[in-house]
């Protein structure tokens, strides 16, 4: 499955959910479009994926949010939204595959979103799905035109799309190359960024 394939799948999900502008709320799509339920539960961190934020059970159509990460997720609504979108990506892309089992879910097949350790192909695909679902290129380009460009542009866009600043920066700078970054500063175009880089090398 290529990135282009996943982008088309995410776009079809948005069309199915009749969403035409941000912010895309993954929990609403999961619940009302796919009939998934949510539950807070203590999830063991004994996983190849590292620290677990959430997991999905395909058998009972439920996304489990790790209760031990409640403070972190509630403090960072962008992280929560991306985490749910990631789990939804597993439902859309991988529900017919055998996934990693967590020890405290005997008899259930789960796949979990972890951080800091192994990122296998299914995890990368789920991350791509979440990116395309929450930050479609058309939405990004349209919304970027509505903001005055300044050094808070990434934060403002992140708030608009309900994602973390880091996630939005990656989307804008690394993937779509709609803004440029040199050091800690953002620039409207590549020429301005290169000029700033050149000026700094003179001193």
């Amino acid at each position: 499955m290529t990135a282009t394939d996943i982008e088309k799948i995410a776009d079809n999900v948005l069309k199915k959910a009749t969403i035409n502008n941000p912010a895309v709320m993954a929990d609403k799509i999961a619940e009302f479009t796919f009939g998934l339920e949510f539950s807070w539960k203590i999830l063991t961190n004994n996983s190849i994926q590292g620290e677990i934020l959430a997991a999905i059970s395909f058998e009972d159509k439920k996304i489990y949010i790790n209760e031990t990460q409640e403070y972190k997720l509630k403090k960072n609504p962008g992280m929560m939204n991306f985490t749910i979108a990631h789990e939804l990506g597993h439902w859309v892309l991988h529900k017919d595959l055998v996934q990693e089992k967590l020890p405290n879910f005997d008899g259930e097949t789960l796949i979990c979103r972890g951080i800091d350790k192994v990122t296998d192909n299914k995890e990368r695909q789920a991350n791509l799905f979440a990116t395309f679902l929450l930050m479609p290129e058309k939405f990004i380009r349209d919304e970027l035109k509505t903001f005055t460009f300044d050094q808070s542009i990434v934060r403002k866009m992140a708030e608009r799309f309900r994602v973390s600043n880091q996630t939005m920066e990656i989307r804008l700078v690394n993937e779509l190359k709609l803004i440029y970054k040199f050091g800690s500063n953002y620039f409207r175009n590549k020429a301005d960024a290169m000029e700033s880089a050149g000026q700094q090398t003179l001193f």
Side-chain angles (χ1 to χ4, degrees):
M1 202 180 312
T2 67
T4 300
D5 294 331
I6 296 171
E7 186 171 21
K8 289 178 180 177
I9 292 169
D11 185 57
N12 286 335
V13 169
L14 290 172
K15 289 177 181 176
K16 185 176 181 180
T18 63
I19 296 174
N20 301 305
N21 54 268
V24 178
M25 302 308 298
D27 58 342
K28 303 301 182 187
I29 298 176
E31 182 177 2
F32 297 112
T33 303
F34 293 96
L36 300 178
E37 297 180 352
F38 299 88
S39 179
W40 288 93
K41 188 176 181 69
I42 294 177
L43 302 176
T44 177
N45 280 330
N46 183 19
S47 166
I48 62 171
Q49 302 300 340
E51 180 181 305
I52 296 170
L53 298 178
I56 187 167
S57 169
F58 299 134
E59 284 86 347
D60 58 11
K61 298 182 66 174
K62 186 173 289 187
I63 293 173
Y64 292 97
I65 312 297
N66 194 351
E67 195 172 315
T68 67
Q69 304 299 318
E70 182 174 3
Y71 175 78
K72 178 190 293 185
L73 290 167
K74 287 187 174 179
K75 185 180 178 181
N76 299 281
M79 179 185 287
M80 172 73 90
N81 198 27
F82 194 92
T83 294
I84 293 174
H86 175 101
E87 296 303 329
L88 179 59
H90 285 311
W91 176 264
V92 173
L93 302 174
H94 306 134
K95 63 178 178 291
D96 296 325
L97 303 177
V98 175
Q99 309 296 349
E100 180 186 3
K101 290 186 178 180
L102 299 183
N104 61 337
F105 280 80
D106 293 338
E108 294 183 359
T109 303
L110 295 171
I111 188 163
C112 56
R113 184 195 177 203
I115 57 177
D116 298 331
K117 287 191 179 180
V118 176
T119 302
D120 66 16
N121 196 44
K122 293 185 296 295
E123 290 299 294
R124 286 190 289 271
Q125 289 176 352
N127 280 338
L128 279 174
F129 177 88
T131 295
F132 294 138
L133 185 77
L134 301 182
M135 298 173 288
E137 182 173 351
K138 183 182 185 306
F139 289 11
I140 290 281
R141 289 183 180 277
D142 288 347
E143 289 297 316
L144 195 58
K145 296 173 185 176
T146 69
F147 289 107
T148 300
F149 186 92
D150 57 29
Q151 292 307 306
S152 66
I153 187 67
V154 169
R155 176 183 56 79
K156 292 186 291 189
M157 287 285 285
E159 291 174 353
R160 181 71 180 97
F161 281 78
R162 197 66 176 265
V163 297
S164 69
N165 291 349
Q166 181 183 19
T167 299
M168 180 55 71
E169 180 180 296
I170 291 171
R171 188 71 169 135
L172 288 172
V173 177
N174 298 349
E175 296 175 358
L176 298 178
K177 302 187 187 312
L178 294 176
I179 65 173
Y180 294 83
K181 184 177 183 181
F182 181 76
S184 59
N185 294 320
Y186 300 110
F187 298 89
R188 193 187 303 271
N189 54 61
K190 190 174 183 178
D192 288 347
M194 292 178 66
E195 180 181 355
S196 176
Q199 290 174 348
Q200 291 195 32
T201 59
L202 294 176
F203 298 96

